[in-house]
Amino acid sequence: MPIRPAQPDDAPAIARVHVDTWRTAYNGLISASFLASLSYERRTAQWERDIAAASTGATCVFVAESQGTVVGFASGGPPQNTFPGYDGELYALYILAEAQGQGWGQALLRAVAAHLAGNGATSLLVWALEGGPANRFYTRMGGVYLTTKSFTIGPDSYNELGYGWPDVSQLTR
């Protein structure tokens, strides 16, 4: 599976995957008005910054390509949301609906895990929207449920479930 580090010119394609997957995966879970407000332009600017930051090596952004088209992406780095005993975090992993179930998620998760392990991380943490499709994926990949925390988007509150891999090497074998 063609998984590679993201390049600056991938930002618009990553933004498209990001917005489109939020609109499909979180439809009915996150407010429709928020999902409608998502912008390819704002996400492109965000991913331009994140890809540039990844050039330092502490963080990473990978893309999955099928026939020259970006169908998914993942990013990770040091923990943004600290949890005792975890020194690496998967920040995002999204695959277009039509490309799901083909192994892209596994390949992207393993790429992020290998990058973080190469930078000294021994464990990995991820946060997933409660009720979202990613929860089953992370459990199938060996992630252990750790805790639940709440967060807000505008006036609405949601829960995120924390999953962890205490030994990141289980994802890099």
Side-chain angles (χ1 to χ4, degrees):
M1 300 208 133
I3 304 295
R4 62 172 175 77
Q7 301 300 313
D9 61 348
D10 290 320
I14 293 170
R16 180 185 57 83
V17 171
H18 200 171
V19 169
D20 292 352
T21 56
W22 266 63
R23 288 181 176 156
T24 57
Y26 302 145
N27 184 28
L29 296 173
I30 291 183
S31 78
S33 62
F34 178 79
L35 294 175
S37 76
L38 295 173
S39 157
Y40 295 122
E41 293 78 20
R42 285 192 304 270
R43 291 290 179 180
T44 296
Q46 171 205 333
W47 286 107
E48 288 170 344
R49 289 187 302 271
D50 290 352
I51 293 167
S55 68
T56 67
T59 61
C60 60
V61 181
F62 289 96
V63 295
E65 278 188 320
S66 177
Q67 300 175 358
T69 300
V70 173
V71 297
F73 73 91
S75 66
Q80 294 176 331
N81 302 286
T82 59
F83 191 85
Y86 289 84
D87 56 6
E89 184 174 343
L90 176 66
Y91 303 148
L93 193 161
Y94 292 100
I95 309 293
L96 291 172
E98 61 270 20
Q100 291 177 9
Q102 299 174 30
W104 297 111
Q106 290 180 24
L108 284 165
L109 176 59
R110 291 182 192 289
V112 170
H115 175 87
L116 297 179
N119 282 308
T122 60
S123 55
L124 184 65
L125 170 70
V126 66
W127 296 96
L129 181 67
E130 184 175 47
N135 297 291
R136 290 184 304 275
F137 170 73
Y138 294 130
T139 301
R140 275 196 321 270
M141 292 299 296
V144 177
Y145 168 78
L146 301 170
T147 190
T148 300
K149 69 176 184 169
S150 64
F151 70 101
T152 59
I153 296 176
D156 301 313
S157 291
Y158 303 95
N159 286 327
E160 285 182 305
L161 306 180
Y163 294 92
W165 291 265
D167 179 2
V168 74
S169 70
Q170 78 183 83
L171 292 169
T172 61
R173 291 184 203 126

